[in-house]
Structures are given as C-alpha cells and as structure tokens.
Amino acid sequence: MRTLTRLALTTLAVFTLAGCGDRPDATGQENSTAEAQAGATKLTLAATLKAGVAHAGLAKVLNNSGLMGALEGVGPYTLFAPADDALKGAGGADFTDAAMKAEGAALLRAHIVPGALTRADIIGAVDRPGSKGAQMRTMGGSLLTFTRSGNDLIVTASDGASARLTGQEVLASNGVLQPLDGLLARPSAAPN
C-alpha cells in the first residue's frame, strides 16, 4: 500500500511540476512556456518567401507556378533561392506571367531538394576527406554538385548552370532556404 501511495504522489508531483509555466532560459532568466514556444515558432518556406523582401520575385514565381502549397506543406525541403536579379536576367523570361506557369514550376523544381540541408551539412559533405564534392538530386530530377572555390560554396547543375551560396540561410518549419546569387537551371523559354 505504501508503494502504491508513493507512486501516486510521485506521479502527481511530476504532473504538477510539468504544469508550471516558468522555467529559466539559457541566461538564467525565467520565461513562460507560451513565450518560449512563441520564440521557437518558425514560418514555412512559402511564408518565409512571402514575408521577405530579398526574394519577392521568387515568391511571385512560386505563386504563379502552383507550387506554393508544396512549400507550405510538411517537407522537409531545401530551397536554393536565386536572387531576384538572377530571375530578372533569366533570358528575359517572365516566370510570373500566367503563360509561363509550367516553365516557372520547372525552374523551381530545379532549385528544391528533399530534406533540410543546412550550410554546415553541405560544408561537411564537401569537406569530407577524399571528397570531390557532394551531390543531391532535385525535385526536377537534375543533379546538383556542391564544391568549394576558396571560401565560397558553389552549386553546379547538370546543365552546367552554377551559382554561389550567399547570405544567411533561413531555417523554416518545413526546411531550409539557402540564398544563391544565380540560377541552377538555364531557362528553356524566352519571350517571343
């Protein structure tokens, strides 16, 4: 009987302590559980693109392509996000035009890989002893090869298009956004 009472009191104590809302953070300050959870909330890849100024053009292409739902989903995905200047210089193609929906979708699939790849993951794979780079297959089926040129990480697509990883990666709730300075696919369509 004593063991049963002790077990019941221990269980009650655990639930009572778990229900306490305040806990110290890394600085020793106390935060409520709601504040800690709110600070940990991340946007999806789609919401990250919509909220950011740096990739406003890419967000428009994503919306036009019909792939917005995929980047709002569970994932995880890594989106290698070309700078807006690279999209504007894509052979004059306007991937935000409704007539370019399929081309925009193909372009985006060439920039998305399954899984959440951080910069540290990519560097670790590229710098592995005996490695001549790392490779990943995109959602569009092309192969991306990651190499180093000095301190720069270079991504090269199957068709020879290449770009450099730039800026800060963004960790999203369903993956990672890795900024690029160029396109990883040569646009197949240009305006008439």
Side-chain angles (χ1 to χ4, degrees):
M1 183 70 173
R2 259 191 181 162
T3 305
L4 185 57
T5 304
R6 193 175 310 159
L7 180 61
L9 288 174
T10 303
T11 304
L12 180 61
V14 169
F15 284 123
T16 302
L17 289 174
C20 293
D22 292 338
R23 63 173 194 216
D25 65 10
T27 64
Q29 300 296 316
E30 295 207 0
N31 288 324
S32 72
T33 304
E35 289 171 340
Q37 289 173 348
T41 301
K42 295 178 188 170
L43 300 173
T44 64
L45 285 166
T48 299
L49 283 175
K50 288 182 202 175
V53 175
H55 298 289
L58 187 60
K60 290 176 185 173
V61 174
L62 182 65
N63 192 46
N64 184 53
S65 71
L67 294 176
M68 188 68 78
L71 294 185
E72 288 173 339
V74 176
Y77 303 106
T78 300
L79 172 61
F80 292 97
D84 282 353
D85 289 344
L87 285 171
K88 290 176 189 170
D94 180 6
F95 296 104
T96 62
D97 184 329
M100 297 289 287
K101 181 177 183 169
E103 291 82 359
L107 181 75
L108 284 168
R109 285 193 300 273
H111 288 80
I112 301 171
V113 298
L117 296 174
T118 65
R119 203 69 57 94
D121 295 332
I122 297 168
I123 291 169
V126 169
D127 290 349
R128 221 178 28 232
S131 172
K132 293 181 181 176
Q135 295 185 320
M136 285 289 300
R137 186 136 329 255
T138 69
M139 301 301 278
S142 63
L143 194 63
L144 298 180
T145 303
F146 301 85
T147 56
R148 265 196 196 266
S149 177
N151 288 330
D152 292 336
L153 285 171
I154 308 297
V155 187
T156 306
S158 315
D159 69 0
S162 68
R164 186 172 51 96
L165 272 74
T166 59
Q168 288 287 348
E169 66 186 15
V170 178
L171 302 179
S173 64
N174 62 345
V176 182
L177 185 141
Q178 294 286 357
L180 295 175
D181 66 356
L183 294 176
L184 296 178
R186 295 202 170 114
S188 59
N192 295 329

